Amino acid sequence: MDIDAFVSAHRPVWDRLEDLIRRRRSLDGAEIDELVDLYQRVATHLSIVRSGSADPILVGRLSALVARARSAVTGAHTPAWREFVRFFAVSFPVVAYRARWWWLATTAAFVLVSVVVAVWVAGDPAVQSAIATPEEITQLVDHDFADYYSEHPAASFAGQVWVNNAWVSMQVIIMAILLGLPIPYILWENAANVAVSAGLMASRGKLDIFFGLITPHGLLELTAVFLASAVGMRLGWTVIAPGPRRRGEVLAEQGRAVMSVALGLVVVLFVSGLIEGLVTPSGLPTWARIGIGVVAEAAFLGYVIYFGRRALAAQETGDMEHAPDLAPSAG
């Protein structure tokens, strides 16, 4: 089936149905009859596309339009709890899963830079001297690094961490407006900060303390930041290379999908903040604290892979269910 020809032939019908849906509360009798007729016609279009096209974006757009038309015709409204369930079972995980290669590349680059810089700092006394005096390094290694996690009440500290990390992730996603260009620099700053701390701790034989304190919450926290960075850069790349569809359509869809990630990461970072505020400074053995972090990380990745893969197989895009109908077209 020629998708471009199909879209060109039927888009006026889809646009008209979209207009009637928007004005459904003020339609006259003839327009109501027209709404029902167009709903049936577009449902047929959807069936044709599903059987003859491998374009998940077009399927998603028509599915959303048919669902909205059905709601307008029947007067039914989706319960809030169903929207909530759809968000966490479909929208958030499928966007994260679709960005998996960007996510993996971001993670690998961050880890590589962190390891290289940490080894450089740990093995070069001149670099250490340029960073701080020996007394300041001793203070950091013996007191400040560990004291950071216990100097505030646990609940208050967890709240502060959550707000800060959520803001960092939102900043990264917002940078997609600038084609994602500032995101590598933001990641570099974070990688350098982690690496310098690791290098200084390693230079004094305290690397076990470093990983014992940063791993419980850091696994999930950094994974969330990497995901935010990945979808932000992916959105920026969409502007540069939108593919066969119009740039505005792709950007609108990806922008809405990215906001799903932003909202989902608020919950992920809340969990990370709880771990950092309650588990990291606790009196639990190091293995137990790290184990909690590993379990949280594995649970999150398993959730994204399971629900994301399932939603992708169902040709979900992660876009909002009742998004404006923007059908693909050439150009």
Side-chain angles (χ1 to χ4, degrees):
M1 182 174 65
D2 187 333
I3 291 297
D4 290 338
F6 187 87
V7 170
S8 178
H10 298 294
R11 182 158 189 169
V13 174
W14 304 339
D15 290 342
R16 176 58 177 168
L17 179 57
E18 176 70 35
D19 178 62
L20 292 174
I21 292 172
R22 290 197 188 101
R23 299 188 295 107
R24 62 186 178 276
R25 298 186 186 281
S26 59
L27 300 180
D28 57 29
E31 288 175 326
I32 292 174
D33 290 340
E34 184 183 7
L35 172 63
V36 174
D37 176 61
L38 293 182
Y39 160 57
Q40 295 172 338
R41 291 170 62 184
V42 176
T44 300
H45 296 165
L46 174 60
S47 178
I48 293 172
V49 170
R50 278 178 168 163
S51 62
S53 169
D55 187 341
I57 305 301
L58 181 55
V59 171
R61 296 284 65 72
L62 291 182
S63 296
L65 184 58
V66 169
R68 295 177 64 198
R70 183 186 303 115
S71 177
V73 169
T74 62
H77 299 279
T78 303
W81 68 267
R82 289 188 60 185
E83 295 290 348
F84 180 83
V85 170
R86 173 180 167 78
F87 177 80
F88 284 104
V90 176
S91 302
F92 175 55
V94 77
V95 175
Y97 187 75
R98 291 178 70 195
R100 62 192 180 279
W101 300 120
W102 287 81
W103 191 4
L104 181 61
T106 300
T107 302
F110 185 97
V111 171
L112 177 62
V113 169
S114 297
V115 169
V116 170
V117 174
V119 171
W120 178 48
V121 171
D124 193 335
V127 174
Q128 298 167 25
S129 299
I131 295 172
T133 66
E135 293 76 16
E136 290 172 335
I137 295 175
T138 299
Q139 178 67 24
L140 170 69
V141 170
D142 292 342
H143 302 287
D144 293 349
F145 189 82
D147 291 347
Y148 167 76
Y149 296 100
S150 57
E151 61 184 4
H152 300 291
S156 173
F157 183 54
Q160 293 174 8
V161 168
W162 176 40
V163 171
N164 177 72
N165 291 337
W167 172 238
V168 170
S169 295
M170 285 297 294
Q171 281 182 306
V172 168
I173 290 177
I174 291 171
M175 289 303 171
I177 297 173
L178 303 176
L179 306 186
L181 295 178
I183 294 177
Y185 177 72
I186 295 173
L187 290 173
W188 157 253
E189 284 191 320
N190 281 272
N193 288 335
V194 171
V196 167
S197 296
L200 294 177
M201 296 289 284
S203 70
R204 302 297 176 90
K206 298 293 182 68
L207 202 57
D208 57 330
I209 296 176
F210 173 82
F211 283 115
L213 291 173
I214 202 172
T215 302
H217 65 276
L219 285 174
L220 191 59
E221 178 183 308
L222 288 175
T223 296
V225 172
F226 298 155
L227 175 56
S229 302
V231 297
M233 289 188 288
R234 187 168 184 255
L235 176 59
W237 182 251
T238 296
V239 178
I240 299 173
R245 296 190 297 144
R246 291 185 298 184
R247 182 173 281 104
E249 294 177 353
V250 180
L251 183 59
E253 176 198 293
Q254 289 298 319
R256 290 189 296 265
V258 165
M259 289 312 299
S260 295
V261 169
L263 294 174
L265 288 183
V266 170
V267 177
V268 177
L269 290 170
F270 176 70
V271 175
S272 172
L274 288 178
I275 295 174
E276 186 168 358
L278 303 176
V279 176
T280 299
S282 70
L284 292 172
T286 300
W287 65 265
R289 288 185 280 112
I290 292 178
I292 291 173
V294 170
V295 168
E297 172 78 354
F300 176 58
L301 294 179
Y303 153 76
V304 168
I305 293 171
Y306 175 77
F307 286 100
R309 181 182 294 169
R310 187 175 70 171
L312 189 63
Q315 299 184 325
E316 293 284 355
T317 65
D319 196 0
M320 57 191 294
E321 191 171 19
H322 301 320
D325 183 46
L326 294 171
S329 62

